[in-house]
Amino acid sequence: MPKRELLAQFHHLFWVGDLNYRINWQPDEDTKLAHKDNCDPEIFGAFQSHLNEKTLKNVLKDDQLVTSMIDLKAFVGFREPDLRFLPTFKVEKTPGLHYNVCYTYAHICTYVFYSKQFRCLLKFIQPSRLPAWCDRILYRSAAIVNPPKVLSYSALPNVPHSDHKPVESHMNIEIWNRPSGIDDSISQAVLHFQDCSAEGLLAADVSGFFLFWVLVFVCWNLLFLFFGSFSGTSDPYLHWPKQPLLEKPSNSRRKNKTLHPEWNDSRDFEPLLLLRNSIAFMTKALLFLEMRDHDHLSKDELIGQGYLPLAPALDNIGKWQYFEVELTFSGLYAGKFQGRYKIVINDESSKTDDNKAAKKIKKSKVKTT
């Protein structure tokens, strides 16, 4: 199986660790923080006096991770449990939240030869680091499953082994027994698409005005190839890669020189024959998809990935249902793919009567549950 991004592989994904995001806090509009690791003592003191459990929401508005997630610049589709504890960095290696300062190599040597009382004196002459929430817990869930139920999200201030205080979260996660993918009472399941489009795609091609004219003089016969390859747009098409759910990979028709392609013709998408036809299996299944850019001169480029849940189409078998898929590329927002789809299921007795097949599937669904 080809490698895929983490965001397109799992029903639940957790991201835990030191993300090293800081706080862009300032006491007023005229006072700006020069550097996150070189904070003026007055600003450091003002922040500490301002920081308490009642003001956390206001302070979190300036948190770099929160603003990055809102602006879709990082961790697209992820959530964080409600944060209700004080910043966990940078602190003394002692029990409790005692916010620390930067120490240079010279001061570390001084600490070796002098007493702890002198170390306390150094705090008043060293630049202070503005406290921040560096260690975080994030999670992302597919649309067809219930997100984890967060029971707690807290820090452990009494752990003294680092200048970061660890954080923990307790969650309940929905699990299910994986059913068989094949139902012998169903001959085939076919997925159809209609009125599909994409928007906000990445521009895979770059502007090459100078190179364009060089190529005109070098090889006039190949001009049309390079004209499309440096237009500042993409030649997108949808690719269904090899995966357990499909009988074979498939591509849509290519749309040239656009970041907002539309596939309105019934011939733009071939019907996808599903290799797994069990209704219980497909209810939790995710169909992986890739948005690619066609390149005349090199290998086609990947410009977005996502997954399409089949559960909405199974609620009304044989009827068109609207879908919307958020695309990501290297963890960043890469556009949106949307349209209508339906699943047509034929049983052995009547391959054209979808209603009879739907009734039969509903009965099998009751038995499996």
Side-chain angles (χ1 to χ4, degrees):
M1 295 295 293
K3 291 184 178 180
R4 299 187 182 91
E5 291 187 350
L6 287 174
L7 301 187
Q9 293 189 48
F10 307 103
H11 290 86
H12 298 287
L13 183 63
F14 296 87
W15 202 283
V16 182
D18 176 13
L19 305 184
N20 205 30
Y21 283 91
R22 305 299 177 86
I23 300 175
N24 295 328
W25 183 86
Q26 56 191 60
D28 52 66
E29 296 182 357
D30 298 329
T31 305
K32 294 185 178 181
L33 187 63
H35 190 272
K36 63 184 180 182
D37 291 339
N38 188 4
C39 176
D40 185 272
E42 294 183 1
I43 296 180
F44 181 81
F47 180 79
Q48 282 194 297
S49 61
H50 174 74
L51 186 64
N52 56 66
E53 294 181 357
K54 295 181 180 180
T55 61
L56 283 183
K57 289 186 177 180
N58 292 331
V59 176
L60 283 170
K61 293 179 181 179
D62 298 318
D63 180 77
Q64 293 176 351
L65 176 60
V66 172
T67 55
S68 295
M69 293 174 67
I70 292 175
D71 296 337
L72 301 180
K73 294 181 178 179
F75 297 102
V76 175
F78 279 85
R79 303 181 190 177
E80 183 179 21
D82 290 339
L83 199 156
R84 299 178 180 176
F85 52 85
L86 296 176
T88 56
F89 174 86
K90 181 177 183 3
V91 296
E92 294 276 2
K93 295 181 181 180
T94 58
L97 290 172
H98 306 289
Y99 296 110
N100 206 340
V101 296
C102 298
Y103 289 99
T104 63
Y105 179 74
H107 291 101
I108 295 176
C109 294
T110 304
Y111 170 67
V112 174
F113 294 102
Y114 291 88
S115 64
K116 292 184 178 180
Q117 288 76 12
F118 188 80
R119 181 190 179 196
C120 295
L121 178 63
L122 293 178
K123 295 181 183 179
F124 297 99
I125 61 175
Q126 287 300 296
S128 300
R129 290 192 179 188
L130 205 64
W133 292 276
C134 290
D135 302 273
R136 313 288 274 268
I137 298 176
L138 309 177
Y139 62 92
R140 172 188 169 115
S141 300
I144 60 172
V145 297
N146 295 323
K149 182 180 180 181
V150 179
L151 304 179
S152 66
Y153 185 35
S154 58
L156 303 175
N158 292 324
V159 178
H161 306 298
S162 171
D163 57 359
H164 292 251
K165 294 298 182 181
V167 299
E168 65 174 3
S169 180
H170 295 178
M171 304 182 188
N172 281 342
I173 303 175
E174 175 191 5
I175 60 174
W176 59 89
N177 293 325
R178 184 176 182 179
S180 173
I182 304 298
D183 187 343
D184 294 333
S185 64
I186 300 173
S187 60
Q188 65 177 4
V190 183
L191 187 61
H192 298 264
F193 292 90
Q194 185 181 74
D195 299 331
C196 297
S197 63
E199 58 185 50
L201 299 182
L202 298 177
D205 302 328
V206 297
S207 176
F209 184 80
F210 175 76
L211 181 59
F212 171 81
W213 285 108
V214 171
L215 294 173
V216 170
F217 291 102
V218 173
C219 188
W220 177 264
N221 292 329
L222 296 178
L223 176 61
F224 71 97
L225 294 177
F226 295 95
F227 185 82
S229 296
F230 297 95
S231 60
T233 60
S234 292
D235 300 326
Y237 66 92
L238 204 69
H239 173 66
W240 308 100
K242 181 180 179 181
Q243 53 191 295
L245 198 58
L246 291 182
E247 184 181 56
K248 62 179 181 179
S250 180
N251 295 333
S252 72
R253 284 187 172 182
R254 184 177 77 243
K255 302 298 179 179
N256 296 327
K257 302 177 185 177
T258 179
L259 298 179
H260 307 282
E262 295 183 356
W263 294 275
N264 296 322
D265 195 309
S266 59
R267 296 169 295 179
D268 286 340
F269 281 98
E270 292 183 0
L272 300 180
L273 182 60
L274 301 179
L275 200 58
R276 304 291 189 266
N277 61 6
S278 166
I279 186 69
F281 182 91
M282 290 191 293
T283 299
K284 297 292 187 181
L286 302 175
L287 185 63
F288 303 117
L289 59 92
E290 297 177 351
M291 192 68 68
R292 293 184 177 183
D293 170 59
H294 176 71
D295 199 317
H296 295 283
L297 303 177
S298 61
K299 185 179 179 180
D300 292 356
E301 297 179 76
L302 177 68
I303 57 176
Q305 283 185 329
Y307 53 76
L308 178 65
L310 299 184
L314 295 170
D315 292 336
N316 293 283
I317 295 175
K319 296 183 179 180
W320 293 106
Q321 301 292 324
Y322 175 78
F323 70 85
E324 187 175 294
V325 177
E326 188 177 72
L327 303 176
T328 59
F329 180 74
S330 297
L332 300 178
Y333 180 75
K336 182 171 61 176
F337 173 59
Q338 57 197 1
R340 298 197 299 162
Y341 69 154
K342 69 176 180 179
I343 292 181
V344 177
I345 295 181
N346 301 321
D347 59 28
E348 294 179 350
S349 60
S350 176
K351 294 187 177 182
T352 59
D353 192 347
D354 295 334
N355 293 328
K356 291 182 179 180
K359 292 179 180 179
K360 196 168 188 178
I361 289 171
K362 288 182 179 179
K363 291 181 180 179
S364 64
K365 184 178 180 181
V366 173
K367 291 180 181 179
T368 55
T369 55

